[in-house]
Amino acid sequence: MPASIASLLSIALGAVLVNNFVLSQFLGICPFMGVSKKVDTALGMGMAVIFVMGVASAVNWPINKFILERQYGGGGTLEFLQTVTFILVIASLVQFVEMFLQKSVPSLYEALGVYLPLITTNCAVLGVVLQNTQKGYTFAESLTYGIGGGIGFLVAIVLFASVRERMEFGKCPKSFEGFPIALVAASLIALAFMGFSGLKVW
Amino acid sequence: MSTTIVAPIVLTILGIVFGAILAFASKIFAVEKDPREEAISEILPGANCGGCGYPGCGGFANAVVKGLAPVDACAPGGPGTAAKIGEIMGIEVEAGVRKVAQVMCSGGGHEKLRYEYVGLESCLAQSRVSSGPLQCSYGCLGGGDCVDACKFDAIHIIDGVAKVDEGKCVACNACVTACPKNIIRIIPRKSKKYAELPCSSHDKGPATRKACDNGCIGCNLCVKACPKEGAIKVENFLATINYEICIGCGMCSRACPRKLITIDGVVLPPKPKKEAPKADAAAKPAAKPAEAAPKAEAAPAAEAPKAEAPAAPAEAPKAEAPAAPAEAPKAEAPAAPAEEPKAE
């Protein structure tokens, strides 16, 4: 299908708001809860996720298209290998990117810091790649969906981090302190994002 | 070829290809790490307190190797760590001075409030409400922001005022930045005895008297009692001790009419001399000389007269006249006879 600018925009907007990876699809909850204590660190994590999601979408698309979806003898394809292959690719990719950045762009490497290797195990990245294949996106669409999903993650985690920073000052029952109240807050933000469901621009 | 055979082959090939790429990349993109950085990281305490100004101990080690940070900037590690780092870097380290945090408020006015504060128990929040409920706008609010900031359990709120536990304090600066009133500072501990002047009030004398039981009124008596030039000085109605010069002799503590200055945490009794005719002596003339005399003779008998000899006789009459004219005549009577034989 021809990828017009409008359809790309709608995919991106959908990934950021309507199908937000964290708040609508509940993917990548671990880093969402773990790295959202401060807005600064949340911002770093979000940036790293945008970067890795974009690159992972771009790299996995040709692998899926030319290796996994190819018809082998007997008419079967290797699509059942998608999950394990994508994990392999993402893990190596993150390692490679980390080495590359450390050598070539040390400033960016230091800015991303510990978050880059953390993303290896971020299920939102795997989710993006798997959904790309399920929805049959073209290369451009996959890339858009990947970067859009990363931006959605950034939006969610930064919003949540600023909420949590304020919650530090609030008083709540002893048994709710820490993670329980954070989970409650996360669910309220998710509820708010439900308002976007059904949003169609184009 | 059926997919059952192809699948493992494809996966194996993919694995080998990615493995080869990574192995290759690790050679191409190898970054030479300075072995000294690792060695320094191992020596550091690992508290990641950030007192050195770098993000964590790793950041500090990196900065040292690059020559950006001095080797003795790690306060929790102390001189021992500094010496070891110096060894690695091949730099001689001078024996550093131990530093501690000091809270510049005695809490003499923590019960004198302008309004009843109800809200978050945090100094920051309190200070936002017309700079806190205390009458003294320089006083410790006792909300415990410094206690939360301290990673070494070295500062506590005692009787509504922050107190530093000197034994545990590593001068990491965390409480200094946490305090919204800016009344905590890091000072070097050079002298054996520790003179403290816990007040930050720049208010004029009468205002300070009203707001605090023992805040500094800038009367200059301590400056005149001090045997070392410049060890204590008064600026903007507040006396401050310069710890580079202070020897902890305690003359200022004896001179202080507000009983503010402490030596090792204790206010020294006024000497049965020109310090005696202060407010306190006037209040209970009978009790004070009795308990003051034996102590004064026992402890600093050796150093006090020596230090006093050149400075005191000349200044004594002058100092008294302008500073405390109202109190001096009253109290001079009982104290004077006792003092004269000793001084001369």
Side-chain angles (χ1 to χ4, degrees):
Chain A
M1 73 172 108
S4 68
I5 298 292
S7 78
L8 287 186
L9 257 178
S10 101
I11 285 176
L13 200 66
V16 175
L17 296 177
V18 184
N19 295 319
N20 189 295
F21 271 89
V22 180
L23 298 172
S24 300
Q25 307 187 35
F26 308 116
L27 291 169
I29 296 289
C30 171
F32 180 67
M33 299 303 294
V35 204
S36 58
K37 281 205 170 151
K38 278 188 186 162
V39 172
D40 293 352
T41 52
L43 209 60
M45 184 73 188
M47 290 295 179
V49 168
I50 294 180
F51 183 71
V52 172
M53 274 191 177
V55 179
S57 303
V59 171
N60 274 311
W61 190 84
I63 287 178
N64 181 54
K65 181 81 178 172
F66 298 116
I67 299 176
L68 299 184
E69 286 189 347
R70 215 186 114 189
Q71 300 234 328
Y72 292 91
T77 65
L78 291 180
E79 279 176 47
F80 61 89
L81 281 183
Q82 275 172 349
T83 307
V84 66
T85 313
F86 291 160
I87 288 210
L88 174 74
V89 174
I90 291 169
S92 343
L93 187 74
V94 172
Q95 287 285 316
F96 181 81
V97 167
E98 198 186 347
M99 281 191 260
F100 175 76
L101 285 184
Q102 196 175 4
K103 178 80 177 179
S104 319
V105 202
S107 52
L108 182 62
Y109 174 77
E110 264 164 40
L112 294 180
V114 71
Y115 306 119
L116 201 53
L118 268 182
I119 293 167
T120 320
T121 47
N122 185 343
C123 59
V125 179
L126 181 65
V128 163
V129 181
L130 280 175
Q131 285 181 18
N132 279 338
T133 65
Q134 282 163 13
K135 295 183 179 178
Y137 280 159
T138 63
F139 182 75
E141 285 169 338
S142 299
L143 199 59
T144 314
Y145 192 61
I147 294 174
I151 295 173
F153 185 90
L154 175 83
V155 167
I157 198 168
V158 169
L159 281 179
F160 187 52
S162 32
V163 169
R164 272 184 92 170
E165 274 189 358
R166 278 160 186 74
M167 283 200 314
E168 291 282 308
F169 285 111
K171 281 192 174 163
C172 68
K174 188 94 190 147
S175 52
F176 274 100
E177 268 172 23
F179 265 107
I181 197 76
L183 281 168
V184 172
S187 71
L188 288 177
I189 298 180
L191 266 179
F193 263 70
M194 267 183 71
F196 290 117
S197 64
L199 177 77
K200 260 195 181 155
V201 187
W202 289 280
Chain B
M1 224 177 354
S2 79
T3 50
T4 31
I5 304 169
V6 179
I9 295 175
V10 168
L11 263 193
T12 315
I13 292 174
L14 273 180
I16 291 173
V17 168
F18 281 119
I21 291 176
L22 282 186
F24 199 57
S26 71
K27 280 268 159 27
I28 295 179
F29 299 122
V31 175
E32 278 177 38
K33 261 209 168 177
D34 202 318
R36 291 178 300 178
E37 190 178 327
E38 227 163 85
I40 292 174
S41 297
E42 269 171 36
I43 295 171
L44 292 172
N48 290 321
C49 67
C52 50
Y54 293 93
C57 293
F60 174 63
N62 191 326
V64 169
V65 171
K66 283 182 186 161
L68 296 173
V71 291
D72 56 354
C74 179
T81 307
K84 278 187 209 158
I85 298 175
E87 225 168 80
I88 294 170
M89 297 294 295
I91 299 171
E92 282 290 320
V93 186
E94 294 168 30
V97 181
R98 198 175 117 73
K99 293 182 174 177
V100 292
Q102 186 183 59
V103 180
M104 312 258 291
C105 178
S106 64
H110 81 273
E111 276 165 355
K112 302 191 174 179
L113 304 178
R114 287 184 294 154
Y115 61 87
E116 185 84 9
Y117 175 83
V118 179
L120 296 177
E121 286 169 19
S122 129
C123 303
L124 186 59
Q126 288 186 36
S127 67
R128 293 280 162 87
V129 186
S130 119
S131 78
L134 296 180
Q135 274 187 29
C136 172
S137 55
Y138 302 91
C140 173
L141 300 169
D145 282 15
C146 47
V147 181
D148 293 341
C150 185
K151 292 197 176 107
F152 302 93
D153 190 34
I155 192 163
H156 301 281
I157 303 294
I158 298 168
D159 297 334
V161 185
K163 289 261 188 305
V164 175
D165 184 339
E166 230 193 292
K168 290 180 186 166
C169 181
V170 296
C172 71
N173 229 24
C175 52
V176 177
T177 40
C179 181
K181 288 299 208 178
N182 289 325
I183 55 169
I184 307 180
R185 62 170 181 167
I186 303 288
I187 55 121
R189 281 278 275 110
K190 275 190 170 167
S191 56
K192 227 176 200 174
K193 294 198 168 170
Y194 181 30
E196 266 182 297
L197 200 155
C199 185
S200 322
S201 170
H202 287 293
D203 284 339
K204 290 182 182 172
T208 310
R209 272 180 195 278
K210 216 182 271 177
C212 183
D213 288 340
N214 54 359
C216 178
I217 52 174
C219 68
N220 264 322
L221 286 180
C222 48
V223 179
K224 283 171 181 140
C226 183
K228 295 286 257 188
E229 183 74 24
I232 189 164
K233 56 185 169 187
V234 174
E235 267 170 12
N236 280 336
F237 310 101
L238 174 65
T240 6
I241 296 175
N242 183 344
Y243 288 95
E244 298 295 334
I245 304 174
C246 178
I247 53 170
C249 71
M251 296 317 293
C252 48
S253 176
R254 293 172 191 284
C256 183
R258 306 284 284 159
K259 309 245 164 288
L260 172 66
I261 308 175
T262 60
I263 303 295
D264 289 337
V266 185
V267 180
L268 295 186
K271 273 189 58 165
K273 242 196 108 183
K274 67 177 199 293
E275 284 83 4
K278 292 295 129 55
D280 197 80
K284 34 179 179 172
K288 208 64 203 176
E291 69 174 72
K295 263 192 233 166
E297 273 161 27
E303 62 180 77
K306 259 184 266 159
E308 198 71 356
E315 279 171 23
K318 267 181 267 162
E320 214 106 311
E327 292 159 9
K330 262 185 272 163
E332 201 96 354
E339 145 214 355
E340 264 159 38
K342 253 189 236 164
E344 280 148 30

